[in-house]
Amino acid sequence: MAVHSHIERVLWNQDQISARVSDLASQISAAFAGTSSPPVLVGVATGAFIFLADLVRRISLPIAVDFVRVESYGFGTQSNGAPRISSDLKVDVKNNHVILVEDIVDTGNTLSCLIAHMEAKGASSISVCTFLDKPTRRKVNFQLVGEGKFYRGFECPDYFVVGYGMDFAELYRNLPYVGVLKPECYQ
Ligand code: 5GP
Ligand code: MG
Ligand code: MG
């Protein structure tokens, strides 16, 4: 069965995603145009890899790119609420501007853990750029640091979504759009 037949509904197609990512890249380029040191874009692996790749190619400033890996989901669709950083940065972010790049902010547990971690490393500001945001599911209210701003692509309804980097049990990351899985694909 082709992967597309597992999708019940497409929420955002490739054209809609592309236009929104360009918009976010322009906002970031404008916001950091005057800073003395290049911002560090930190992708949260694995889910943010496609968004990060699309975003950075549309930013017109010098930037650094790095990744962290955070485990919290395992193979289910519910966060277990205790994220753990299992792979840390290589780039030194002390006195630099950090932009955390996420696929989706849900409860906020992952971000609050990462913000505390970047703050402890001495980042001079911490922004967040998330492709999707599910504000109705928030359990933790994270605080941005310094002049940090919150950038988001789309507000996401309360469905478990896949595609454009996001998985269910490591599958579906390769879909070029964002969709909702058919219920039989969870079983
Ligand atoms: P949080 O810690 O905010 O609850 O969740 C953060 C992580 O959970 C996201 O970065 C993402 O990897 C995963 N997540 C949350 N909601 C969804 C969803 O609807 N679909 C997928 N594939 N992952 C999700
Ligand atoms: Mg993520
Ligand atoms: Mg996942």
Side-chain angles (χ1 to χ4, degrees):
M1 191 158 80
V3 70
H4 300 285
S5 63
H6 295 202
I7 299 299
E8 185 165 84
R9 188 148 84 85
V10 174
L11 295 181
W12 294 283
N13 65 33
Q14 278 179 271
D15 290 343
Q16 291 167 316
I17 292 171
S18 176
R20 198 66 195 111
V21 173
S22 293
D23 214 41
L24 291 171
S26 306
Q27 288 177 38
I28 290 172
S29 299
F32 290 87
T35 54
S36 52
S37 60
V40 185
L41 275 81
V42 177
V44 185
T46 308
F49 80 115
I50 293 179
F51 176 47
L52 181 71
D54 283 349
L55 184 71
V56 295
R57 283 178 290 174
R58 294 169 196 186
I59 293 176
S60 53
L61 304 170
I63 53 161
V65 176
D66 203 349
F67 283 93
V68 288
R69 181 175 287 277
V70 183
E71 314 290 343
S72 66
Y73 259 69
F75 285 98
T77 60
Q78 293 292 309
S79 165
N80 66 18
R84 186 180 68 89
I85 295 165
S86 58
S87 173
D88 206 348
L89 291 178
K90 204 174 75 177
V91 170
D92 184 5
V93 296
K94 193 172 169 59
N95 300 325
N96 282 327
H97 301 288
V98 167
I99 306 173
L100 289 167
V101 180
E102 260 283 34
D103 50 359
I104 180 163
V105 183
D106 187 32
T107 63
N109 278 313
T110 306
L111 265 188
S112 63
C113 161
L114 283 172
I115 289 171
H117 189 68
M118 298 299 152
E119 201 172 9
K121 286 176 180 285
S124 53
S125 78
I126 304 175
S127 297
V128 169
C129 181
T130 186
F131 175 60
L132 299 181
D133 183 21
K134 279 184 187 166
T136 57
R137 301 240 325 149
R138 203 75 92 243
K139 293 204 178 95
V140 180
N141 269 320
F142 48 83
Q143 294 274 200
L144 303 170
V145 173
E147 304 285 286
K149 292 203 183 73
F150 187 72
Y151 304 90
R152 76 166 176 199
F154 300 102
E155 182 171 331
C156 186
D158 188 10
Y159 297 114
F160 189 80
V161 297
V162 295
Y164 198 64
M166 292 173 283
D167 74 312
F168 173 66
E170 296 304 329
L171 299 177
Y172 309 108
R173 296 192 195 277
N174 57 322
L175 291 173
Y177 50 81
V178 175
V180 181
L181 275 180
K182 288 180 180 167
E184 61 261 36
C185 297
Y186 289 105
Q187 273 112 55

